[in-house]
Amino acid sequence: MEPGAPARAARALRLHIVTWNVGTASPPPDVTDLLQLSSQGLDVDVYVIGLQEVNSKIVNFLSDLAFDDPWSTFFMDVLSPLGYIKLSSIRMQGLLLMVFVKHAHVPFIRDIHTHYTRTGLYGYWGNKGGVTIRLSLYGHMICFINCHLPAHIENTDQRLDNFEKILEMQQFEGENVPGVLDHDLLFWFGDLNFRIADHGMHFVRESINKCRYNLLWEKDQLNMAKKKESFLKEFMEGPLQFKPTYKFDLYTDVYDTREQKTLFWFNGKKRKPAWTDRILWRVKNLCSYVLKEGELPQKEQAVSVTLKNYISHMSYGISDHKPVTGTFGLEMKPFVSVPLVTVNAEGEWNAERDVLISYSTVPKFPSSTWDWIGLYKVTFKHVNDYVTYAWVKDDEISFSEDTNLVYMSADEIPHAGGEFLLCFYSHTFQSIVGISQPFQIQPTKISTEKDLAQEDISGMERPYNPESHIEF
């Protein structure tokens, strides 16, 4: 908690996690159900989307190095008009992890870092492994890890070894939260590839047909491992009250109907249905640490997690896996409740004159000559999707203890006008630390006449080509 700040009420947030092995397919035409966009009264604060088997053929791979991959572009196009930006993403071959956040929460998110671990081909190949995004949300350290573990029913030990290796190898900067398990809250999801042991094909399919899923839980390999492996015992998961999500014939809700054929070395037998696609979470056990003098034990309640929904989505057929989503309610006492920077547009804005931006910082804010303020459309997609920007120190015209003024040239202001906002980007924190309220830029007369003429010529939009940053 910030020094001298009074006790604050817990903040309630809603988190929606998606895991989906997309089988190299292109995005579907609609994801309203997947993202629960039509649910009444549902207001998601953070979307976390983990995909496996994104197309990583050499042509696609090289294209995605230069531009955003089709899946990232697709989800940005869906979520940015609703007031979300892509906060961070990481890609390792077919593994892709993205975090989207509502504008209002962005200034309270810091310490954003990504990591990846290859486990395919003895650690040299990234077709299997894990990709991670960790961040501080209102002062609480949260980690998201998307995994694709080895396939086949006989490889349980290899799956467990791979996940344990991922946990050990992923180390972050900073002494307080060096490893994955040191975070206050950890979400683990992906195509974990655990199968249903012992039971035969007929028993499994009959149990599914009769919706008696509980008959299969005891022999689920992940459930069995959680009882034995010490590093898994603190992970929690909701009840598997949905059909196993693998393996389906494409564009159907029918389980694998392949004929039992063997061609050379390829085993073509039908796959036994399994809950390969999972979402688990772990809350750090604060009781295991000795409390400091004067520290109240209530600190262990600083973060709480409630599972609201854990379901599969049977209507999506582009892959032989069905996507799984988990919706969570987070209750957290905010250790950070004031943005580091407050930024505002001064006066009326149009492209006929230079304009002013005011900003103020919290005491001891670590300013840098590389800090900048970006002008964005309200539907901006990510931090690099700005219209223009001003270097804070270079374009500063006055400063005081309370408020600083930065100018932006009229030449930089969009003539067409519209609704915009300002974001203060901190070089020290490598993130947006302040966002203004939306405001209007008035269109110029010349622009209005030009736009009307342009509508008669063409209704085509300018191609979208943002600067991309992908880690491998």
Side-chain angles (χ1 to χ4, degrees):
M1 186 177 293
E2 293 153 355
R8 304 183 183 93
R11 176 177 284 274
L13 299 173
R14 188 175 289 265
L15 166 71
H16 189 73
I17 296 178
V18 177
T19 179
W20 193 3
N21 183 323
V22 297
T24 73
S26 299
D30 183 75
V31 286
T32 299
D33 178 58
L34 187 70
L35 301 180
Q36 297 188 357
L37 298 179
S38 61
S39 300
Q40 294 295 322
L42 178 63
D43 196 13
V44 173
D45 296 283
V46 181
Y47 282 101
V48 179
I49 301 170
L51 306 179
Q52 307 86 42
E53 293 194 18
V54 173
N55 195 334
S56 58
K57 292 180 180 178
I58 188 64
V59 174
N60 305 84
F61 191 78
L62 293 174
S63 173
D64 295 345
L65 282 171
F67 308 100
D68 281 305
D69 66 272
W71 282 94
S72 295
T73 301
F74 172 74
F75 281 111
M76 285 190 288
D77 288 344
V78 171
L79 291 172
S80 64
L82 304 178
Y84 299 88
I85 71 162
K86 187 181 75 171
L87 182 80
S88 182
S89 67
I90 181 170
R91 171 121 182 242
M92 181 182 74
Q93 287 181 220
L95 274 169
L96 175 62
L97 177 60
M98 299 168 280
V99 175
F100 291 85
V101 181
K102 274 199 161 182
H103 295 171
H105 303 301
V106 173
F108 304 99
I109 299 175
R110 303 168 194 171
D111 300 321
I112 305 168
H113 293 280
T114 60
H115 214 310
Y116 64 91
T117 302
R118 303 183 186 96
T119 60
L121 200 62
Y122 305 102
Y124 291 100
W125 193 242
N127 64 319
K128 297 290 190 294
V131 291
T132 301
I133 296 174
R134 82 88 173 264
L135 51 87
S136 169
L137 176 62
Y138 291 98
H140 299 274
M141 297 306 298
I142 303 179
C143 185
F144 304 100
I145 181 164
N146 171 28
C147 289
H148 193 186
L149 300 181
H152 306 304
I153 193 167
E154 67 273 12
N155 287 331
T156 302
D157 289 342
Q158 189 179 352
R159 285 187 276 276
L160 296 172
D161 289 344
N162 279 194
F163 183 51
E164 197 165 18
K165 177 184 177 182
I166 292 167
L167 294 178
E168 291 173 354
M169 292 190 66
Q170 295 205 0
Q171 297 294 312
F172 297 92
E173 297 177 4
E175 297 179 0
N176 295 331
V177 192
V180 172
L181 296 179
D182 296 312
H183 290 77
D184 299 320
L185 187 54
L186 167 62
F187 290 93
W188 172 38
F189 48 90
D191 179 1
L192 307 185
N193 254 323
F194 290 100
R195 308 304 171 98
I196 298 170
D198 298 340
H199 296 311
M201 177 78 78
H202 179 76
F203 180 83
V204 170
R205 291 203 173 191
E206 279 297 300
S207 299
I208 295 168
N209 291 337
K210 295 177 181 178
C211 297
R212 300 185 67 183
Y213 308 127
N214 60 305
L215 298 179
L216 307 176
W217 294 345
E218 188 177 345
K219 294 298 182 180
D220 174 80
Q221 291 175 334
L222 181 53
N223 287 340
M224 295 164 69
K226 283 169 61 183
K227 295 176 182 177
K228 296 178 183 178
E229 303 292 338
S230 58
F231 72 98
L232 293 180
K233 286 183 178 179
E234 293 183 342
F235 281 93
M236 293 174 280
E237 184 182 18
L240 298 168
Q241 298 284 12
F242 51 86
K243 286 184 174 183
T245 53
Y246 176 81
K247 178 181 185 178
F248 289 88
D249 291 343
L250 296 182
Y251 302 104
T252 75
D253 58 1
V254 177
Y255 285 107
D256 190 10
T257 58
R258 291 179 303 174
E259 295 294 331
Q260 295 193 25
K261 294 180 179 178
T262 301
L263 181 61
F264 301 113
W265 48 270
F266 177 72
N267 186 354
K269 69 179 181 180
K270 297 178 184 178
R271 299 287 185 203
K272 188 164 56 173
W275 286 290
T276 55
D277 310 281
R278 312 286 277 270
I279 301 172
L280 297 90
W281 74 96
R282 177 185 183 271
V283 180
K284 184 178 175 183
N285 185 3
L286 298 173
C287 291
S288 63
Y289 298 90
V290 178
L291 294 174
K292 297 177 182 177
E293 185 177 354
E295 189 175 24
L296 298 176
Q298 284 88 345
K299 187 179 178 184
E300 67 175 293
Q301 313 257 313
V303 181
S304 65
V305 180
T306 304
L307 178 64
K308 302 289 187 181
N309 209 331
Y310 189 36
I311 58 175
S312 64
H313 298 262
M314 297 295 292
S315 62
Y316 295 96
I318 62 172
S319 164
D320 54 7
H321 289 253
K322 300 299 182 183
V324 171
T325 61
T327 307
F328 298 86
L330 306 184
E331 290 277 344
M332 54 178 61
K333 294 180 180 178
F335 297 145
V336 176
S337 61
V338 177
L340 293 173
V341 176
T342 302
V343 59
N344 293 292
E346 291 294 314
E348 182 179 290
W349 280 42
N350 60 53
E352 296 177 353
R353 61 185 179 187
D354 294 346
V355 294
L356 292 178
I357 302 164
S358 66
Y359 77 92
S360 58
T361 66
V362 297
K364 298 182 180 179
F365 174 73
S367 61
S368 165
T369 55
W370 298 104
D371 292 343
W372 51 273
I373 297 173
L375 175 67
Y376 296 84
K377 293 182 178 180
V378 290
T379 57
F380 76 112
K381 299 177 180 181
H382 50 77
V383 68
N384 293 323
D385 191 22
Y386 49 77
V387 176
T388 186
Y389 63 88
W391 293 108
V392 172
K393 296 301 181 183
D394 289 352
D395 298 319
E396 200 166 62
I397 58 173
S398 71
F399 59 91
S400 66
E401 291 185 3
D402 298 325
T403 305
N404 307 299
L405 290 177
V406 175
Y407 88 95
M408 189 171 282
S409 170
D411 296 336
E412 304 290 336
I413 307 303
H415 287 268
E419 193 172 18
F420 293 81
L421 46 77
L422 296 165
C423 294
F424 189 109
Y425 184 87
S426 166
H427 178 74
T428 303
F429 290 99
Q430 292 288 296
S431 63
I432 293 171
V433 295
I435 296 183
S436 74
Q437 292 296 315
F439 63 94
Q440 290 288 331
I441 295 180
Q442 300 302 320
T444 62
K445 183 179 179 182
I446 295 174
S447 172
T448 304
E449 293 172 352
K450 189 181 295 184
D451 288 345
L452 290 172
Q454 186 66 24
E455 285 181 9
D456 295 333
I457 299 171
S458 172
M460 295 179 64
E461 296 183 355
R462 184 178 60 180
Y464 168 65
N465 184 19
E467 182 181 345
S468 178
H469 177 71
I470 304 173
E471 298 187 46
F472 292 90

